[in-house]
Amino acid sequence: MIKDTSEEWPVRSTSTPFTGKKTGVRTDEVVMPDGGAAVRDYQVHPGSVAVLALDDENRVLVLKQYRHPVRHKLWEIPAGLLDVPGENPLHAAQRELYEEAHVKAEDWRVLVDLYTSPGGSDEAVRIFLARGVSEAEGERFAASEEEADMEHGRVPLAELVRGALAGELHNTSLVTGALALQSALSGDGLDALRPAEAPWPARPFTA
């Protein structure tokens, strides 16, 4: 078996040359194993959650949203930032599913955890699998900015896998989530996935 391991090399100095609304940039002078030092710039990110919501017809709930940095409208799954330090990621995922799709789910599992770009960002993402989906009660969340222009759809899992492998779909959480779900279905099954409250060392949380 292979497994990532926690390790922290010494930092001689650190600064934060930029702090934005949600993220920032940090510059660390890191001591290398040979005794030398190297400067590393990286994005400081609060972390994110994403939800692959699977209905009874094996379709995945997807959204199409404009992403300015890449100048594309991308098909994605519901996702959002961990806005509150120590926030329970399951609660954040349930909130995002409600706000972006006005949907609730009965069964939640951890599908996969990942770092989006560990060479340049400390962003950690937990992707949940949500099943037993249905329309949520109450008023719809008032969308704004890019979310006001979102399209919604339900797409068969097989079509998402095909689109990912064909280079037609590019969103990290959608591609990773679809391939992970396909792997789980062809492997030990969905009941073997981790429980929704499984520990997440990258973003420790309280119950």
Side-chain angles (χ1 to χ4, degrees):
M1 293 180 63
I2 62 171
K3 182 179 180 180
D4 294 337
T5 56
S6 177
E7 185 170 341
E8 186 170 355
W9 293 357
V11 175
R12 284 183 182 170
S13 64
T14 186
S15 63
T16 306
F18 170 77
T19 301
K21 183 178 179 181
K22 297 293 184 181
T23 69
V25 174
R26 181 174 295 162
T27 299
D28 289 344
E29 185 181 11
V30 184
V31 179
M32 299 287 112
D34 63 2
V39 174
R40 294 289 179 261
D41 300 321
Y42 58 99
Q43 181 192 34
V44 179
H45 195 285
S48 307
V49 291
V51 185
L52 195 151
L54 187 69
D55 69 15
D56 293 337
E57 298 177 43
N58 220 35
R59 299 177 304 174
V60 176
L61 191 155
V62 292
L63 318 165
K64 195 173 189 181
Q65 185 171 354
Y66 176 67
R67 294 301 188 183
H68 185 71
V70 295
R71 273 59 167 185
H72 269 72
K73 272 193 169 183
L74 300 179
W75 283 106
E76 307 180 351
I77 55 178
L81 298 176
L82 290 168
D83 294 310
V84 181
E87 182 178 18
N88 187 308
L90 174 60
H91 299 166
Q94 291 169 332
R95 179 187 68 237
E96 293 300 331
L97 185 61
Y98 170 78
E99 291 182 357
E100 294 194 348
H102 200 66
V103 164
K104 62 181 181 179
E106 298 298 325
D107 184 81
W108 290 80
R109 304 283 178 127
V110 174
L111 186 55
V112 68
D113 296 330
L114 67 141
Y115 292 112
T116 56
S117 182
S121 173
D122 70 352
E123 181 184 10
V125 179
R126 168 159 282 188
I127 304 176
F128 289 91
L129 172 65
R131 293 182 290 172
V133 299
S134 61
E135 192 81 1
E137 296 88 4
E139 295 184 11
R140 285 186 172 271
F141 182 77
S144 61
E145 300 177 346
E146 292 95 340
E147 293 183 357
D149 188 50
M150 283 196 306
E151 302 174 44
H152 295 73
R154 297 196 182 199
V155 178
L157 174 61
E159 177 62 15
L160 297 182
V161 172
R162 184 209 63 79
L165 297 179
E168 298 169 355
L169 299 172
H170 305 88
N171 175 263
T172 302
S173 294
L174 184 148
V175 170
T176 304
L179 296 177
L181 178 56
Q182 184 63 48
S183 178
L185 287 169
S186 61
D188 294 333
L190 303 186
D191 290 338
L193 293 172
R194 286 172 291 161
E197 297 281 5
W200 189 16
R203 292 294 184 272
F205 60 92
T206 58

